[in-house]
Amino acid sequence: MSTGPTTLPASGDTEQPKRRRLPRLRDVRIRSKLALILVVPVAAVLALATVRLVAVGENTFDANQARALTALSIDVSALTQDLHAERMAAAAFLSTPQQKADAYNLRVRSTDERVEAYRAERGRVGEVPAAVRERLATIDEHLETLASTRQEVLDRQQMAVAEAALRYGVIITDLVAYGDGLAQLPGDERLSDARRAVAAFARAKAAVAEEQSVVYTALVAGKLDEEQFSSFVATLTSQQEALVAFSLAADPTQRALVDSTVSGDAVTLADRVAADITRSVGQTSPVTAQDATAAIGAVNDLMRWAEIRLQDRLLSQADQARSDVIRQAFIETALVLLTLIVAVTLAVVLARSLNHSLRRLREGALSVANHDLPDAVKRLQNVGNVGDGGVEEIVRQVRDPIQLNNRDEVGQVALAFNVVHREAVRVAAEQAALRTSVSAMFLNLARRSQTLVDRMIGELDAIERGEEDPKRLAQLFELDHLATRMRRNDENLLVLAGADSAVPRRDDALLVDVLRAAQSEVELYNRIEFGTVDTDISVAAHAVNDVVRLVAELLDNATRFSPPTTTVVADARRIRDYVLIQVEDRGLGLTDDQLDSLNRRLAAPPSVDVAAFRLMGLAVVSRLASRYSIRVELRRNVEGGTVAQVTLPAATVVLPPVHSRDQQITRPRQPLAVEQNPLTPAGLGEPAGAGRTASATLTDQWRSAAPTPWQAPEQARDTAAPVQAGGLMSPPPAAPPTRPSFAGGGPSVGTPTVAYPTVDALPKRIPAGTTRSGLPKRQPQAQLVPGGIEPRSGRDRSRRTPDEVRGLLSAYHRGVQRGRAAGTDQDSTSTKETSR
């Protein structure tokens, strides 16, 4: 047994499994899943970017809208100023009946121009926030009533100065409230404070204008009554509150602008007039209406100038805020788009890299699972010898199936998979080494046991040849049978170890002789009957030994697992280009699950394990069948029991031409050992009682060892009583049957020579006819020598005592021995004469 390093066989040394192409659909699925994994974060980034872009867009829209509303506030302030001037003109027109309406009409035309400018700007603004929309709607409604108020003023009927001032005051109040709505718009905090400061200053200016109107209305009448005084004080209070709100909301620049503009003598004079009017409540005022109006109007004009500058500055701030927002929008949009481009680019690069790594990992894994590892295991199963160090040598020869140099998780998985593959090959190599060791152990033990058994059988042969006592001879036959069963176990072990148990034949053997030899291997041979057997078919020389052993195992199993009162029938027929052998028994049969399990084990040779020894016969049949592609199948017998079908392929048989297919043996179903004639040549079988000396070579090759059943330990059974046929008794159950010699080696044995009584004449043979197949019919005891056997009747004709059987067997044995010795002497004499 070699102990050198063993290399892994090349893949071409064994049959390769069918290669399977990697399906494209799985690649598409991998790409889809990978794309899904990468698209999710990209989509999240895109969603966040979209949200940000929407927010930037909204800010831009708000900035544009705020700027437009700020521009509209300038028109609203100008309209407020013109309406106040129109109010003062209407009051002057109504308080002086002799005054013409020219001044009033001039103010009306100026106001109408402001209204048209306001409406034009209002149309350009478009959609406005809800807080401003309601105030603009109110302004539009009140402006629609302005025409009727003007007409009533011009008519001077039922229109007092106070009523006219009140109507104009309502519209002016709505126009001033627009600034408060504008201050509520969202946006930059500084811009919002500036809008609130401008709105507060507009309220203060409106309070000054209201103060001027109240003073003029009161002084035109000559004095202030209590109600007018309350209105006058309210205007002063509103003015102070608005200025305080302005101071709180305005920035230093706005406060400085107002302080520098609204100051000086005009403000001082207006304050003095207000003080004088306050002291003259209920009395004639020391200040005339024209003087008071002029003083307060001067302050109103100063505040108007400051308001214009504040609004211009507010508009500039709105423009700047809009520009900043637009610039920020462009910057953020560019950054978002750049981020998306970078994210998508990185995702694509990572996806391609990850897809490449995953594809190689998948292809490598599938290659290992479908090809590399099964091929390696299959080649290792066929390795005949794994010496010391062979396992490590095989593992070193294994290449890594996945070549990935990545250090990421995928690369680590690939490295782990390579290690797993290497360890799997190591395990397979170790199992192959173990199988090799176990096979070598079986082979060694079987060879040693076979040698000892051969020596035992040789000693038994020598003792049998010199023994004449029938009882002792029967005991020797029993020992001979036990030794033969031991040798059969050794031969089964050799089969499981993968070795040949006999020397191959050089010549083909007839199928009928193969069946007879298989029958002679069975302990309960007398229960086996042959049905239809084609006699013109031969088994190829290289398969004869294994076919005999295979059929013998099936016959032995059928006899041991069927009732002792039943028979086992064997048929062998040609079907097209193959031969079908059937072995039928009448046992209890097998369940569907048992049949499926046994047929699977018969189809695929099982590994050598505990089950192989428990079902040794099944394992031997499977191993022998796999050598020659023989198909063995068990199926249920319709009449009860089991049918074993053996299909011999064309490579294991020698078939005659089609025109000679009519040569068959169609016999009554009787035991073959009883049916054979004692004078049959050794090539077709000898009587069962001839013993070992009648065919020593046959006994050496096909000794009937203890059969191994399929599913249970062997059980010895007693055979039926001997059967008398043709004046020759069948042997006792313990006597081993003789069989044709199919071995290529061993001592040469010729046709046994049997001593018969010497007579001068034989009776004339009377033909008894032929069978349907053309064979002559045989009449029992028709060719006996007259007086050679005394006629018997009744019970003695069918049964003999054991002593009589032993005597007949001993006499027959001695006759065979004498014939053998005479034949050997003649052969020696002929050889010597030839050499001379």
Side-chain angles (χ1 to χ4, degrees):
M1 181 175 180
S2 174
T3 59
T6 302
T7 58
L8 189 65
S11 59
D13 296 341
T14 59
E15 181 182 357
Q16 296 297 314
K18 185 177 181 181
R19 305 295 184 186
R20 293 184 293 178
R21 293 185 59 189
L22 299 178
R24 300 288 298 176
L25 181 58
R26 294 184 179 179
D27 292 340
V28 174
R29 289 178 179 174
I30 290 179
R31 294 192 185 96
S32 300
K33 293 180 180 178
L34 188 60
L36 181 61
I37 294 174
L38 295 176
V39 163
V40 169
V42 173
V45 173
L46 183 61
L48 293 176
T50 303
V51 171
R52 184 55 188 166
L53 290 177
V54 170
V56 171
E58 290 178 353
N59 292 337
T60 304
F61 176 79
D62 292 340
N64 290 327
Q65 192 176 63
R67 195 270 176 194
L69 293 176
T70 301
L72 180 62
S73 68
I74 296 176
D75 293 329
V76 171
S77 298
L79 179 59
T80 302
Q81 183 67 22
D82 289 346
L83 276 177
H84 172 63
E86 183 178 340
R87 177 176 62 178
M88 296 306 296
F93 176 74
L94 292 175
S95 62
T96 308
Q98 298 83 10
Q99 185 179 356
K100 295 182 179 181
D102 294 341
Y104 177 72
N105 291 332
L106 181 62
R107 288 298 178 183
V108 169
R109 286 195 295 270
S110 178
T111 303
D112 288 340
E113 292 176 0
R114 290 296 181 183
V115 171
E116 293 299 328
Y118 159 76
R119 288 176 175 173
E121 188 66 25
R122 171 70 177 85
R124 285 192 294 268
V125 171
E127 189 67 22
V128 295
V132 180
R133 185 186 311 115
E134 294 178 359
R135 298 183 184 274
L136 292 177
T138 303
I139 292 172
D140 293 338
E141 291 177 0
H142 287 169
L143 289 177
E144 295 296 332
T145 64
L146 189 59
S148 61
T149 300
R150 288 172 177 174
Q151 187 62 40
E152 291 180 6
V153 170
L154 291 174
D155 292 342
R156 290 181 178 179
Q157 295 178 0
Q158 298 180 355
M159 175 64 69
V161 176
E163 185 179 355
L166 180 61
R167 290 189 179 184
Y168 279 103
V170 172
I171 300 175
I172 291 173
T173 301
D174 293 334
L175 291 173
V176 173
Y178 172 80
D180 294 333
L182 184 63
Q184 297 177 3
L185 294 178
D188 184 71
E189 184 177 358
R190 291 183 301 174
L191 184 61
S192 298
D193 291 341
R195 284 198 292 261
R196 283 194 295 270
V198 172
F201 190 79
R203 289 198 304 273
K205 174 183 169 294
V208 172
E210 185 67 22
E211 178 187 359
Q212 182 183 10
S213 176
V214 170
V215 168
Y216 182 81
T217 302
L219 294 180
V220 168
K223 61 179 180 180
L224 271 73
D225 55 16
E226 293 296 333
E227 183 179 357
Q228 291 173 340
F229 179 74
S230 298
S231 300
F232 176 74
V233 173
T235 58
L236 295 178
T237 304
S238 299
Q239 180 180 354
Q240 293 299 323
E241 291 176 353
L243 290 175
V244 171
F246 170 78
S247 299
L248 295 175
D251 56 20
T253 303
Q254 290 175 326
R255 285 195 297 268
L257 188 150
V258 171
D259 292 342
S260 63
T261 303
V262 186
S263 63
D265 296 339
V267 176
T268 303
L269 179 59
D271 291 339
R272 186 182 302 115
V273 169
D276 293 341
I277 293 173
T278 302
R279 288 192 295 268
S280 62
V281 176
Q283 301 174 4
T284 302
S285 177
V287 183
T288 63
Q290 288 74 16
D291 293 339
T293 302
I296 298 174
V299 175
N300 184 57
D301 292 339
L302 291 176
M303 295 184 72
R304 173 57 187 161
W305 174 248
E307 183 184 26
I308 293 173
R309 295 179 64 184
L310 288 174
Q311 288 180 339
D312 291 341
R313 188 171 182 272
L314 179 61
L315 184 60
S316 299
Q317 290 177 339
D319 289 336
Q320 184 63 36
R322 184 184 65 172
S323 299
D324 293 341
V325 171
I326 293 175
R327 186 185 308 107
Q328 184 69 21
F330 278 114
I331 294 174
E332 293 189 3
T333 302
L335 290 177
V336 168
L337 293 178
L338 181 61
T339 302
L340 287 177
I341 293 173
V342 172
V344 172
T345 303
L346 290 177
V348 171
V349 172
L350 292 177
R352 289 175 63 87
S353 176
L354 188 59
N355 183 41
H356 176 71
S357 300
L358 290 178
R359 184 174 66 251
R360 293 184 61 182
L361 179 62
R362 173 182 171 275
E363 291 176 355
L366 289 178
S367 178
V368 169
N370 297 331
H371 306 294
D372 295 347
L373 188 57
D375 290 351
V377 172
K378 186 176 182 62
R379 293 196 298 272
L380 287 173
Q381 288 177 348
N382 295 330
V383 172
N385 180 25
V386 178
D388 296 339
V391 173
E392 296 299 329
E393 182 65 24
I394 290 174
V395 173
R396 281 194 297 270
Q397 294 177 6
V398 175
R399 65 175 181 84
D400 291 339
I402 304 176
Q403 301 293 335
L404 280 179
N405 299 324
N406 301 351
R407 295 185 179 181
D408 56 2
E409 288 77 4
V410 178
Q412 294 175 3
V413 172
L415 179 60
F417 196 88
N418 292 335
V419 173
V420 171
H421 173 61
R422 192 178 302 110
E423 291 302 317
V425 174
R426 182 192 300 276
V427 172
E430 291 175 352
Q431 290 181 350
L434 180 61
R435 286 193 299 269
T436 301
S437 301
V438 172
S439 298
M441 180 177 62
F442 288 165
L443 184 61
N444 191 11
L445 292 176
R447 292 296 187 192
R448 290 187 179 187
S449 178
Q450 192 177 36
T451 301
L452 295 177
V453 172
D454 288 342
R455 291 175 58 187
M456 182 188 302
I457 292 176
E459 294 296 331
L460 288 175
D461 287 342
I463 296 174
E464 289 174 0
R465 285 193 296 270
E467 182 61 48
E468 296 184 359
D469 185 3
K471 294 183 179 180
R472 294 291 302 275
L473 188 60
Q475 294 175 353
L476 291 176
F477 285 162
E478 181 66 24
L479 291 177
D480 185 277
H481 179 68
L482 294 178
T484 303
R485 294 173 62 186
M486 293 173 60
R487 180 168 182 172
R488 187 173 179 184
N489 279 336
D490 295 336
E491 293 173 351
N492 288 340
L493 287 177
L494 292 176
V495 172
L496 294 179
D500 293 330
S501 59
V503 179
R505 286 178 50 87
R506 297 181 179 178
D507 300 327
D508 302 334
L510 291 175
L511 180 60
V512 62
D513 292 339
V514 170
L515 295 180
R516 289 168 179 162
Q519 180 196 27
S520 66
E521 289 293 306
V522 180
E523 179 181 1
L524 305 178
Y525 65 91
N526 57 350
R527 289 179 49 204
I528 299 175
E529 296 180 357
F530 286 173
T532 301
V533 180
D534 292 345
T535 59
D536 57 347
I537 299 175
S538 299
V539 178
H542 68 280
V544 169
N545 296 336
D546 291 337
V547 172
V548 170
R549 185 177 294 106
L550 185 151
V551 177
E553 292 290 344
L554 296 177
L555 291 174
D556 183 79
N557 185 76
T559 56
R560 288 188 175 276
F561 289 93
S562 59
T565 57
T566 61
T567 59
V568 175
V569 180
D571 295 328
R573 302 175 184 177
R574 172 181 177 177
I575 300 177
R576 293 189 296 273
D577 59 343
Y578 61 89
V579 175
L580 180 63
I581 300 175
Q582 290 193 143
V583 178
E584 301 182 11
D585 64 60
R586 296 295 186 271
L588 296 178
L590 300 171
T591 63
D592 293 337
D593 295 338
Q594 291 173 333
L595 285 175
D596 293 340
S597 176
L598 294 178
N599 285 327
R600 284 196 301 269
R601 297 181 68 89
L602 289 172
S607 58
V608 180
D609 52 10
V610 177
F613 288 97
R614 186 170 58 87
L615 306 175
M616 185 178 293
L618 177 66
V620 170
V621 170
S622 179
R623 287 290 183 92
L624 295 176
S626 65
R627 291 182 182 179
Y628 308 99
S629 299
I630 298 175
R631 181 181 178 184
V632 181
E633 183 180 5
L634 302 178
R635 60 179 179 85
R636 184 176 289 103
N637 193 348
V638 295
E639 299 179 1
T642 306
V643 177
Q645 290 184 340
V646 181
T647 304
L648 302 179
T652 59
V653 294
V654 179
L655 301 176
V658 180
H659 63 271
S660 61
R661 284 290 317 280
D662 56 348
Q663 300 183 10
Q664 292 182 345
I665 294 180
T666 305
R667 311 165 180 242
R669 294 187 174 181
Q670 297 178 356
L672 183 61
V674 177
E675 184 182 355
Q676 302 298 331
N677 192 296
L679 300 180
T680 302
L684 295 178
E686 294 82 23
R692 286 187 46 80
T693 56
S695 182
T697 303
L698 180 65
T699 304
D700 291 339
Q701 294 298 325
W702 304 111
R703 181 62 58 185
S704 176
T708 304
W710 302 137
Q711 303 174 14
E714 59 183 9
Q715 299 176 356
R717 292 190 178 96
D718 295 334
T719 58
V723 181
Q724 180 182 8
L728 181 65
M729 297 301 299
S730 60
T738 60
R739 54 193 68 82
S741 176
F742 292 146
S748 61
V749 180
T751 303
T753 303
V754 184
Y756 297 99
T758 303
V759 294
D760 297 332
L762 294 175
K764 184 177 180 181
R765 181 175 180 176
I766 301 175
T770 59
T771 63
R772 288 179 296 177
S773 59
L775 298 177
K777 292 184 178 180
R778 173 175 174 269
Q779 291 183 349
Q781 301 183 3
Q783 303 297 325
L784 296 179
V785 178
I789 296 180
E790 298 181 357
R792 297 181 183 182
S793 61
R795 182 180 180 88
D796 293 338
R797 182 182 298 269
S798 60
R799 300 191 61 179
R800 292 186 180 183
T801 64
D803 293 337
E804 291 176 340
V805 173
R806 295 191 188 96
L808 287 175
L809 290 175
S810 298
Y812 185 75
H813 173 67
R814 288 192 294 273
V816 170
Q817 288 290 85
R818 287 193 295 270
R820 181 187 296 275
T824 304
D825 294 340
Q826 293 177 1
D827 293 340
S828 301
T829 303
S830 300
T831 303
K832 292 178 181 180
E833 292 177 354
T834 303
S835 61
R836 293 176 183 176

